[in-house]
Amino acid sequence: MICQDAFTVALLDPSQPTPAGLIDPQGQTAPKRFAVYRNNVAASLTEALRTGFPVIRKLVGDRFFDALAGVYLRAHPPKTPLMMHYGQELPAFLQGFPPAQNLPYLADVARLELAMRESYHAKDAAPIEPSVLAAIPPETLMQSRIALAPSAILLRSRWPIYGIWAANMLDAPTPQMHGEAVLIMRPEYDPTPHLLPAGMATFLIALETQPLGAALDTATAAVADFDLGAALGILLAGGAITSLTLPKAPAP
Amino acid sequence: MFDQSPPHGLPHCAGVGYKPQHFTQIMENAGSVGWLEVHAENYMGAGGRPLAQLAALAETFPLSVHGVGLSIGGEGPLDPDHLARLKALCDRVKPASFSEHLAWSTHDIGFLNDLLPLPYTQTTLTRVCAHIDQVQDLLGRQMLLENPSNYLAFAESQMSEVAFLTEITNRTGCGLLLDVNNVFVSAVNQQTDPLSYLDAFPLDKVGEIHLGGHDEDTDDHGAPLLIDSHGAEVADPVWALLDHVLQRAGPRPVLIEWDTDVPDWTVLEAQAARAHTALATVQA
């Protein structure tokens, strides 16, 4: 009897013999027939990684990518049947993958590609109209809390991850090597990465726990000429602000 | 036990496996296509375009939700999280049909993303039936179970695939999804007669028919080895087997599956039109 344990081990390790008891019409062990399943698993998971990480593939080339996918898929097969989430461990894997050590930015670029997919499948949330913000007196606005859409995802890197993404996906010029912060926003259904101005990442992180005015103070402390109007403009244009909670009315 | 024979749900016309790149053309003019099938797992995200498109399609077409990841033949218990996602999807879309495969795909280490084969024994029969009972009880509906494409056999098997499937329908009340391309692929690979398989098949339990393309290879001894690729037009011998089935079973919902190297809509629609013609000859 062949248990699924033995089948799985042989499936993922081509150096293992075909399990006995898997036979062809003549009753003989059938390595090439078993190899169909081996190939289906490796090819389908490799294809899922190719689709999910087009920039990584361009950066390392097809042959290198397929080789690293072959190692990755055996170390990290999907955890669930939701292939839309496959590849979560790729950034950490790339960080520790010796043949990729001369491209130290790969892991962060993989994080950006994962975040693009996460944004694509994130829960829908209707953005607020810019006029809603404009109608609130500035003092009240500064005490309000702003919530961003589930599809809005912030990434910070010591590498130019937006520049690398744009050079490969939009044929933009090769970027200078400096750190970048990126906000992925999904105005309707297509996630788009935006390169953020200085201080905006600090502002967005502060906004998670602080009202607008306090977040502005935090950002200005980090970057003296931080431009709140420009920051709000980026968020509104990307449809990323989904709710505004006004301060509680002061007790009489 | 769910007893709903003959299985019903989808219209007895041609459908296609839905691919997002065809959304606009399908919504504008679906031609011969009367219904659509989606892979359940692609619509289990939290939001975004996939769910919006599915909602729009569900308003216009009867839908078949076809699972590819439940691992009904798995040795372990069904994944409760995946069952919950499946129930949420079916409650939301209210598909005309839900189907899954006679296969396993999940093991302790994770999801293997392929439909892996089972030996046909009393042990696996009992397990598969228990899993189908669990799915049907949870969803509150009859499901269809699809016959696999086989590349090899298990020496330990105690009964034929048709006997195995027939016993499953008798015990659980589930219907069957007859993949005629899989029948052809398996028959060539196992050097058996596809017509004998079909003549023994409980056609009264068939709630849906699948057609798809296959690739050709050879085994260790140079014998033909067909691979179920869903990446080509339906082969002529498979169309002939479809005619054979329709003449015996009468009209049924017939689906064109094309999952890799997906062609332009016109190519897919032409395949559906050919299925439509095959159905028309038995519908008259």
Side-chain angles (χ1 to χ4, degrees), chain A residues 6-242:
Chain A
F7 196 106
T8 303
V9 168
L11 194 64
L12 290 176
D13 183 357
S15 71
Q16 295 281 325
T18 300
L22 299 178
I23 54 174
D24 70 10
Q26 282 71 45
Q28 295 177 324
T29 306
K32 209 171 159 188
R33 290 165 177 265
F34 185 66
V36 174
Y37 296 105
R38 272 183 177 150
N39 183 58
N40 281 351
V41 171
S44 69
L45 295 181
T46 299
E47 186 56 32
L49 293 168
R50 285 180 189 162
T51 306
F53 298 96
V55 177
I56 299 295
R57 191 176 163 204
K58 281 194 179 187
L59 288 169
V60 301
D62 288 351
R63 283 185 58 185
F64 189 105
F65 188 89
D66 287 358
L68 91 82
V71 180
Y72 178 79
L73 70 91
R74 288 173 173 86
H76 303 281
K79 291 195 174 109
T80 78
L82 271 62
M83 291 301 293
M84 65 181 76
H85 299 316
Y86 187 45
Q88 301 285 337
E89 301 90 356
L90 191 70
F93 173 85
L94 288 169
Q95 228 147 11
F97 189 54
Q101 294 314 298
N102 59 333
L103 301 175
Y105 45 80
L106 280 186
D108 280 4
V109 175
R111 284 187 185 96
L112 173 62
E113 296 205 279
L114 270 177
M116 291 284 281
R117 237 190 308 155
E118 188 188 334
S119 173
Y120 183 78
H121 292 287
K123 195 169 164 49
D124 300 331
I128 63 166
E129 292 296 325
S131 57
V132 173
L133 279 189
I136 298 169
E139 217 156 275
T140 311
L141 185 61
M142 286 300 157
Q143 295 170 48
S144 302
R145 289 177 182 269
I146 281 178
L148 299 189
S151 58
I153 303 173
L154 173 70
L155 296 115
R156 291 203 287 183
S157 172
R158 49 196 284 248
W159 305 103
I161 51 173
Y162 176 81
I164 293 170
W165 182 88
N168 287 279
M169 299 301 281
L170 308 174
D171 283 331
T174 307
Q176 300 294 310
M177 284 296 160
H178 54 75
E180 284 181 353
V182 176
L183 180 66
I184 295 169
M185 293 183 286
R186 195 188 87 194
E188 198 178 5
Y189 296 128
D190 294 305
T192 312
H194 291 263
L195 178 61
L196 296 181
M200 187 158 165
T202 307
F203 172 68
L204 291 175
I205 292 166
L207 264 188
E208 289 172 15
T209 55
Q210 297 171 6
L212 190 54
L216 171 62
D217 293 343
T218 305
T220 308
V223 176
D225 61 350
F226 173 73
D227 184 342
L228 177 64
L232 291 177
I234 289 170
L235 296 176
L236 287 169
I241 302 179
T242 53

Side-chain angles (χ1 to χ4, degrees), chain A residues 1-5 12 21-26 28 31-33 37 40 44 78 81-82 84 121-122 124 189-190, chain B residues 41 45-49 52 69 73 75 85 104 107 109-111 113-114 151 153-156 189 191 218-221:
Chain A
M1 202 186 87
I2 301 158
C3 64
Q4 290 175 2
D5 265 333
L12 290 176
L22 299 178
I23 54 174
D24 70 10
Q26 282 71 45
Q28 295 177 324
K32 209 171 159 188
R33 290 165 177 265
Y37 296 105
N40 281 351
S44 69
L82 271 62
M84 65 181 76
H121 292 287
D124 300 331
Y189 296 128
D190 294 305
Chain B
E41 286 71 16
R49 179 176 282 121
E75 280 170 2
R85 289 189 288 258
W104 61 281
H107 194 57
I109 61 148
F111 175 67
N113 204 31
D114 193 28
Y151 306 112
F154 285 78
E156 68 194 276
N189 291 346
Q191 297 165 20
T218 54
D219 76 356
D220 297 288
H221 308 290

